[in-house]
Each structure stands twice: as structure tokens, then as C-alpha cells.
Amino acid sequence: MNTTAALYGGMRRRRYLTTAAAVGAGLLAGCTDLVETRQLRSAPAVLAERPAAVYYPTHVDGMAMVGATDAGPYRVALMYSYPHRFWTVTGAESQQTEISAEDDVHLMAVVWDRETETLLPESGLSVAIERDGTPISEEVIYPMLSQPMGFHYGANFGLDGEGSYSVSVRVGGVSTRRTGAYRGRFESPATGTIPFEYSATARDELPYTETMDRAGERAARRPMGMGMLPSSALPAPAALPGVNHGTTTIGDARLLIQSLSPPPAGLAGGPSYLAISARTPYNAFVLPAMALEGRLTRAGEPVYVGDLSRTLDPALDYHYGAVVPSVEPGDRLEIGVRVPSQVARHEGYETAFLSTETATVTLA
Amino acid sequence: MTDRPALGRRELIRSAVAVGGAVGLAACLDAIGEDAPKGAPPAGVADPSRLPERQHAWDDRIRHDDAGNAELPRHQSLWYLELQEPPDADARVSLETALETLDRALERSHDGLLYSLAYSPEYFDRYFAEPLPEGLDLPPARRLSAFETPEIDRQDALLHLATDRPTLLLEVEAALRGELDRLNGVTVETALTDVFDLETRRTGFVGAGMPAAEASEVQGVAAGTTIPDASPLFMGFKAGFARNQATESYVTLDRGPFAGGTTKHVSNIRQRLDDWYGEQSYEERVMEMFSPGHAEAGLLEGAGDGLGDDSKIDRFVDDIEADASEYGRVGHAQKAARANRDADGNVLLLRRHFESSDEGQASLHFPSLQRGISQFEAVRQAMNGQDLTQVSPAVRQRVNNGILEYIFTKHRGNFLVVPRSLRALPTPTGGPS
């Protein structure tokens, strides 16, 4: 640590930056160096006491739009922020990914269908960064949830200093079951390339807010409005097709129970369809990549026992569903989480949505 | 030898091979020092027409480890070639002469030179009206997963050169370019580059110690990442165990005009090694490279010496869906093996991969020999594990799905390794044009 850093050691980087900017450009240059040297501001430590539920985070990093482009049937938008800590999930285990010394930015991509303006939460994405035709980095990036940003794909990246980069976002073909007008779509990969002018100074001017006064409360920040992006909130029950039979909660995940008849186009049998729309509390962000099982009984007799399959449908949006003979009020439905949502999480979501419990509901 | 403390001798030799040409040759001679293979390389044959018809018959001409696993020549290059003119009799004579010079000059072995010349389906399509024989399984290369976007290599021909002697590799290349009068005492009469333009040259290496030595040269290996010194490949494990490889006989075409030949798919795959090593423990790497069962049973030590001549993968193939559910991960070898056996349990593919640091990127050149390209495609599709993403959401398109998170396919090309007697600009019927 250099002398200046030592002097300001106890001060949050953002406040130091503000002070430096007020003093003058000369100092600001030094300050950028300082930030580069220190690598990163010190965000507050992860709370020692966290509920096993969604909670209000300790801080919020601002972000900026890098650009957007078309890629095959998709529209891809790219944003960046400070490098973030986040948690990946494998099975029911979450593991924190620390910010590494080489990381310069957290890149975030959002992918949606241009035709329906609907987010696609289960593509495989990779990002390739080049500078003057020279590869700098190439990485598979993870689906993630953050309170300010909602659902996105993200990763921390190290760059090769300030300057002009090109960032290619490659969207893999989707293998999730698709119904209705989504049948036969999204099968091929598509790539969109977005120029990125990186400056550490500009990055360090992104807002950074500590929220220690509310940190740990069972609440969530409101999402930032990113005007040009479709929302990652799922439709309200009234906006979903079919009949709503209530909502249950597992591990703080909200599971809306819907039925409709006939099933979405492309699914044989029925004649009814049971759909679970899984979302975060407060913000109704999509919770993808779970393995759910359902057991529907009527007067003690099983009506349907089996998987509720991950499905993309233009009207139901991303959901978990099964073709069933019928769904009636008064039926008992057990919903079991075999594998919790494998989406990676930013702070405030990492302790939620990990439960593998079973909920039992009497349908409304 | 010049004193250059910043680079080790091995890296110097390797970078000389990568640079190639006269500059590379000079640098290589400079760097090679005293412990290169001693003396002149062993001489070739007086009568090249007596060499085996199988250009891919390498297995009895290379080193093997104690368990009997093939060890490929340490230095290799791939010449992707474009014809200057449509094939004719003069070009055939000129090319055959250039190749016979190699045959006469150098023993066909790891200590001399192993090579093969193969032709793309595009070559046959471009220059000839007649089709390739019915039943020859040689489609143009294509994308083989829902997430890759490789460049397709459509050059006319692929010359694959391999030797343990780095300087010799450069000398052979100089002879093929017509820049040497004599090669190992044999007069160089014609240059391969009189017939072909060298459109792309890719180089590589394989063998214990080489990836570790090369790690500092490539981007995508974080400081502090240690590739095990015993590993012949960047990802830290041996591959191509004898019992998990097809035999040369098995992959050889047994009928038709190209009997004695084989098909060859070559991909080039960039590797993201810092995440492979940085994000995962040894156990996790074993799970993702082999299978969760390998990690559970502790079958591996280090780079995999304890496995002998068999990766034991066949034991774990049937566990794959259970592994996806239980561990949230499946293994690369475990997935691929599902499609890499015939009804009698014979392995279909003979893989001859080697590493590269071309352009400062860690990548893998992946030549695979098989009777038909559709066999390769089926194995690659099994390796995609798309079915397993539906078994457990923990296994995603490229995450927890073998090694797919860490590899990026950049090139694919398909070729026909013709029998030796047809190697100079063959026609689709195998006959004279």
C-alpha cells in the first residue's frame, strides 16, 4: 500500500474519490493510480448474521450501459460495474467467488428475444474480449440475480489497461423445453459484438452507496430502471394465462400455481396443464434452473406425480410445468425442490432459494 | 549457447518452433544446446514405394510409456495448404518428389519424421466433377454444438509433421519450402510450396514437462497457476490411454479406392486454464475430466500414472445420470465414452491431440482418426451433454458439464488421409485423372 492509501486507509474509496475530484485533476490522476494499486475499494464485509432469506444488501454498486446490439433472433445489452463478489450455486451448496486482484470490471449481459421482448434466462453465454484483434479474455459467464439489476449473465474480468476493447457476447442455443411460438426457436448460437471504451476513471465515477442502516433486513432494494431493457420481473398472476390457485413459498422463493387448459401448444396429452411460476419476493425476478417435482392428489388419489419441467413459453414466460388430466380447487399439491435454483447470486440473495423442502398446498 | 536467463531452454526451443522459418531455425540451433537427441537423425528408406500404405501408421514408430500408452512426438506442426493451380500431372510429380525426399532423408519414426498428407472434402469438390465414393463418410466440417461458432478449415490439404527433434522439424519445413539444398544428406529436388501455398501454419507440442514449461508463454494462465510437471497436456492429465483408443487397424478404411486410408477431423480449441486451475480443486478437476466416480474412488494420482493403460472410464458410463443428480457434475471422458464404442465394445476414435501456444494462447490441436466423420460427430455430441442439462439444472450447457466451461472451439476441419500411394493430389475415384 502506498503512502496516500495508508493516509486514507480508513476512508471509503468513494468518499476519497469525491474529495480528490474536488481538489483537482492532478490529484485525481494520483487517485486513479491509487485505486489501481489498491485494486479495489473495500466493500463492507459480508454480514455475520444473515437470514436464510432475501435480505437488504450492505452496499449497492452503480453500473453503466456499455451498449446493445442484435445477435440473430436476440437483442443483447452489455453493462459494467465495479468487480463484484458473488456466489455460485452447485446443487444446494453456494460458494463465494471473491474478487481477484486482476479484476477490473464486472460485466453484465442481458439477452432477450427481439420478437417478444422477453428475457431468456437459460441460455449459455460466453464473452470474448479483444483489443486491436488480440484476444484478452474469453470466458463462460454465469446466470445471476442481483437486487438492483435483476436477472443477468455476469462475471468479473481483468482488462489490459484503459482503452478500446471489443466485447463479443455469444449466446448458445437453448435446450430448455419451449412451447407455443417459442417452438423451434433459439436453437442456434448467435454472437453480437459491442465496443467498450474502458477507463478506470469513468468506472470509479460510477455511484457506490453503502446501505448499512438497512443491511440484513428482510427486504430488497428496488431494481434500478434501465430504460432500454425488458424487466426481469415475471408477470403478475392476473397477467398470466389460466387460473391462479394460490402461491406457496419454499426457501423464500415465491411459487405461483397456475393451471390452464389446453396445455401450451406443442405439448401432447392433458387436457390440462399445471404451471409453477417461480420468482423472488419483492421484485418478482425469475428464478430459473430448479428441478421441481409435483404430486397432485384429489381425495387422496394421485392425479399427477412427476417432474415439473423447465419450460419457456411466450405467455407463461419461464416456468415449471407438466401436462395433467385436470386441476381443481380443493386438490392437494405437493411441490418438492429436488435441486434449488442454480442461478448465481449477488449479495442479498445468496442465502435464499437454497431450500430443498417440499411445500403442500390446498389449491384455491 | 547464449545466456538468456529470462526464458528456459525448453521455452526457447518451443518459441523457435512456433516462429518457424529461417529465424526460428537459427534460434532453435542456438537454444538447443547439448542435450538434444544426439547425432544426425536416422536415415529414411531407399525405396519410398515400400513404405506402408497407411500414412497414419505411427504407433509402432513412436515411444510408449511403461504401461504401453503411445507418446506422440514432442514437436508437431500442421500445414494448411491451398493449391496454386488445379491438380495436373506435373504438380503430382513435383509433390511426390518433395515427399519422397522426406522418405529418403528421414526414418519414419519419432526420432526421424512422422507425417501424413490429407485432403479436404472441399478439395475433391473444387477440382473434380466426379463424386467421392458412395459410403465414404467425409462431409465438410460443421459446427458440432449449440454454443460454438468455429471457423471451418476448408483449405485443400493438411500436412501434419511430427518429430522429437525441434531443429529437424524446422529443417524439414525449410526443405518443403525449397530453402534447403540437402536434408539429412539427401538432395532436395522440389519444394512442396511449388505446388501448394502454405495458407496457415499451426504448431504444437506434447509430452511430460512441456506444458508446464510453456505455461509462462501463454495468455490465460494466471500467475501462480502450476501445471503439474509430469503432465503431457495443459489440463494436467494424461489422455489417450491405450485401452481407450481405437487401434490404427480399426480406424483404417478397409474397402474402396481409399482402402488403407482413414478420415481425420482436426479441431483447434482454446483453453481457459486459469479458471480450470483457479476455480477448482484437484478433486473437482478429476470429476470434470474423468467422472465423479474417479474422484470418489481416488483412482488418480497426479497426472494419472496410476491408471496404467486404461482410464477405467467404461466403469462409470452408466452412472452418468445418477452423477448429474448426486454431484451436480458429470465428467468429460464419461460423456464422450457413451458414443465412442461399437456394439462389441471397440473404441471408435484414435485421438492424437497435442498442445499449442500459437499467438500466445493456450490451445489444443485435436486430430482424431476414425473410419467415418459421423463417428467423430457423434462422440462430440455426446460430449456436449445436452441431455444431462435436462437431468439436473446443476449441469448447465457449459458449467459442471465436463470441461466445456474451459474450452472454446476455434477451428474445425475434415480431411481424408489417403493411402500413401495416392498422396499426391488424388482424384475422388482413386484413379488417374
Side-chain angles (χ1 to χ4, degrees):
Chain A
M1 189 182 275
N2 69 30
T3 324
T4 326
L7 267 176
Y8 288 88
M11 192 188 266
R12 297 282 168 227
R13 183 201 56 87
R14 178 107 297 266
R15 222 163 77 223
Y16 172 63
L17 267 180
T18 316
T19 317
V23 174
L27 235 181
L28 187 60
C31 161
T32 307
D33 291 342
L34 167 67
V35 173
E36 291 285 287
T37 310
R38 289 178 56 201
Q39 287 300 332
L40 290 166
R41 61 188 165 67
S42 41
V46 176
L47 296 175
E49 297 284 323
R50 294 170 289 170
V54 175
Y55 71 91
Y56 208 90
T58 60
H59 64 288
V60 175
D61 290 321
M63 60 187 163
M65 180 64 70
V66 176
T69 186
D70 290 346
Y74 309 111
R75 182 92 181 151
V76 177
L78 185 72
M79 286 134 283
Y80 85 106
S81 180
Y82 303 100
H84 288 322
R85 62 185 173 218
F86 57 87
W87 287 259
T88 59
V89 177
T90 300
E93 303 290 315
S94 70
Q95 188 179 14
Q96 187 174 347
T97 298
E98 297 288 353
I99 300 165
S100 98
E102 289 86 34
D103 292 333
D104 293 307
V105 291
H106 184 72
L107 286 181
M108 292 162 282
V110 175
V111 179
W112 65 97
D113 174 30
R114 279 194 280 146
E115 221 165 88
T116 58
E117 301 239 314
T118 303
L119 283 191
L120 293 170
E122 219 174 61
S123 304
L125 254 70
S126 66
V127 160
I129 303 177
E130 291 192 353
R131 184 175 193 177
D132 302 326
T134 303
I136 300 296
S137 189
E138 184 163 20
E139 197 170 329
V140 172
I141 64 174
Y142 284 33
M144 290 189 184
L145 273 182
S146 86
Q147 293 180 13
M149 177 74 201
F151 179 87
H152 62 280
Y153 298 85
N156 294 331
F157 282 90
L159 298 171
D160 188 21
E162 301 196 334
S164 304
Y165 293 86
S166 84
V167 180
S168 294
V169 179
R170 182 156 304 145
V171 185
V174 171
S175 58
T176 310
R177 181 167 83 172
R178 278 143 290 155
T179 51
Y182 284 162
R183 281 175 296 167
R185 298 193 61 208
F186 317 130
E187 284 178 355
S188 302
T191 304
T193 300
I194 296 169
F196 178 31
E197 192 65 38
Y198 170 66
S199 135
T201 314
R203 178 199 62 188
D204 294 335
E205 284 167 1
L206 293 173
Y208 165 77
T209 318
E210 291 200 354
T211 50
M212 293 306 291
D213 53 330
R214 296 195 63 190
E217 271 179 42
R218 288 195 58 169
R221 286 194 57 87
R222 290 161 60 88
M224 288 182 193
M226 294 297 273
M228 63 190 288
L229 302 183
S231 162
S232 46
L234 290 171
L240 290 171
V243 180
N244 180 257
H245 297 279
T247 299
T248 188
T249 299
I250 302 177
D252 218 15
R254 299 295 186 268
L255 307 175
L256 263 63
I257 305 158
Q258 266 329 94
S259 75
L260 54 154
S261 200
L267 298 178
S272 289
Y273 188 70
L274 175 65
I276 307 299
S277 178
R279 66 235 352 242
T280 65
Y282 315 111
N283 294 332
F285 294 149
V286 58
L287 277 173
M290 292 193 270
L292 291 187
E293 300 169 321
R295 180 181 169 82
L296 183 70
T297 54
R298 188 169 305 144
E301 293 298 315
V303 177
Y304 174 79
V305 179
D307 288 343
L308 298 165
S309 304
R310 291 171 270 159
T311 308
L312 266 174
D313 178 80
L316 282 163
D317 213 317
Y318 186 96
H319 68 279
Y320 304 82
V323 171
V324 297
S326 61
V327 182
E328 289 175 12
D331 288 354
R332 249 168 79 98
L333 177 64
E334 291 169 43
I335 305 172
V337 176
R338 193 156 49 79
V339 182
S341 179
Q342 300 296 289
V343 70
R345 293 91 180 282
H346 287 279
E347 194 178 295
Y349 280 145
E350 78 280 11
T351 50
F353 325 130
L354 291 173
S355 166
T356 53
E357 286 165 9
T358 296
T360 305
V361 198
T362 301
L363 299 188
Chain B
M1 185 173 160
T2 320
D3 180 27
R4 284 182 230 182
L7 279 182
R9 192 184 55 81
R10 272 174 175 169
E11 290 123 280
L12 273 176
I13 292 169
R14 258 293 311 149
S15 39
V17 170
V19 168
V23 174
L25 184 52
C28 198
L29 287 168
D30 189 30
I32 196 136
E34 56 288 342
D35 55 49
K38 291 277 191 285
V45 295
D47 180 3
S49 71
R50 301 188 65 172
L51 284 168
E53 274 291 80
R54 293 179 190 175
Q55 292 194 74
H56 57 288
W58 293 12
D59 275 354
D60 58 356
R61 293 151 188 274
I62 56 175
R63 290 171 285 107
H64 291 78
D65 68 13
D66 294 343
N69 299 308
E71 295 188 329
L72 289 169
R74 292 169 74 82
H75 298 276
Q76 303 191 35
S77 72
L78 296 168
W79 280 28
Y80 289 82
L81 301 165
E82 296 273 25
L83 273 175
Q84 292 162 0
E85 304 284 343
D88 62 19
D90 287 351
R92 286 195 176 91
V93 170
S94 191
L95 174 58
E96 181 60 26
T97 307
L99 298 173
E100 287 186 5
T101 301
L102 304 182
D103 297 337
R104 289 197 175 88
L106 298 163
E107 182 182 88
R108 186 168 283 230
S109 75
H110 65 97
D111 196 29
L113 175 72
L114 287 163
Y115 74 94
S116 67
L117 183 58
Y119 292 85
S120 66
E122 289 85 354
Y123 158 84
F124 292 104
D125 189 51
R126 222 169 261 150
Y127 297 109
F128 303 95
E130 314 93 297
L132 284 162
E134 187 108 352
L136 179 66
D137 182 1
L138 184 74
R142 57 179 182 146
R143 174 168 72 73
L144 294 179
S145 75
F147 47 84
E148 67 180 27
T149 48
E151 247 178 73
I152 303 300
D153 287 313
R154 297 191 174 88
Q155 299 89 342
D156 291 318
L158 172 63
L159 177 69
H160 184 169
L161 302 166
T163 171
D164 278 346
R165 296 174 180 255
T167 314
L168 181 63
L169 181 63
L170 294 169
E171 285 170 347
V172 165
E173 291 186 323
L176 291 169
R177 286 186 169 106
E179 292 164 0
L180 281 189
D181 296 331
R182 294 177 81 75
L183 178 66
N184 204 26
V186 171
T187 302
V188 176
E189 290 167 52
T190 59
L192 180 122
T193 52
D194 291 345
V195 175
F196 284 116
D197 287 329
L198 175 53
E199 198 265 338
T200 299
R201 175 179 179 268
R202 300 181 191 146
T203 73
F205 54 90
V206 64
M210 298 186 78
E214 200 71 9
S216 62
E217 296 298 291
V218 295
Q219 191 252 348
V221 183
T225 293
T226 309
I227 295 171
D229 200 50
S231 177
L233 294 164
F234 272 136
M235 293 187 93
F237 299 108
K238 296 169 79 161
F241 294 91
R243 288 181 186 276
N244 312 113
Q245 290 274 51
T247 62
E248 277 170 358
S249 293
Y250 190 89
V251 303
T252 301
L253 299 170
D254 58 1
R255 69 189 69 144
F258 300 110
T262 186
T263 74
K264 183 171 188 168
H265 177 89
V266 186
S267 47
N268 174 256
I269 298 170
R270 188 184 294 167
Q271 296 166 89
R272 187 168 174 82
L273 297 172
D274 48 1
D275 283 350
W276 171 247
Y277 285 102
E279 287 178 353
Q280 308 205 97
S281 67
Y282 177 77
E283 297 290 299
E284 288 169 328
R285 293 198 297 275
V286 169
M287 283 194 196
E288 292 201 341
M289 182 61 83
F290 295 91
S291 78
H294 278 73
E296 202 66 14
L299 292 180
L300 270 86
E301 275 173 48
D305 282 333
L307 291 173
D309 65 352
D310 185 349
S311 70
K312 319 280 193 287
I313 198 63
D314 294 270
R315 278 192 220 168
F316 299 100
V317 169
D318 293 341
D319 297 344
I320 197 159
E321 294 200 357
D323 287 350
S325 299
E326 186 177 347
Y327 298 94
R329 274 196 176 84
V330 290
H332 161 73
Q334 185 184 27
K335 284 183 294 171
R338 296 185 293 171
N340 195 9
R341 306 289 183 269
D342 70 11
D344 299 323
N346 298 303
V347 180
L348 304 178
L349 311 188
L350 175 54
R351 296 160 285 135
R352 285 186 163 157
H353 38 308
F354 57 101
E355 299 290 10
S356 177
S357 56
D358 288 348
E359 294 163 26
Q361 302 286 326
S363 78
L364 179 77
H365 295 302
F366 192 95
S368 170
L369 306 178
Q370 54 281 313
R371 280 187 213 163
I373 292 296
S374 57
Q375 295 174 323
F376 178 84
E377 293 191 343
V379 173
R380 170 64 209 207
Q381 268 142 19
M383 172 185 149
N384 292 337
Q386 191 168 309
D387 53 325
L388 301 163
T389 65
Q390 299 309 305
V391 172
S392 168
V395 179
R396 300 207 290 271
Q397 183 167 63
R398 298 182 70 176
V399 177
N400 300 324
N401 194 343
I403 58 175
L404 294 174
E405 183 171 354
Y406 308 99
I407 63 173
F408 300 85
T409 305
K410 296 300 168 186
H411 293 273
R412 292 193 180 283
N414 289 340
F415 300 92
L416 178 65
V417 183
V418 293
R420 184 193 43 73
S421 55
L422 297 176
R423 66 188 175 177
L425 307 179
T427 68
T429 57
S433 59

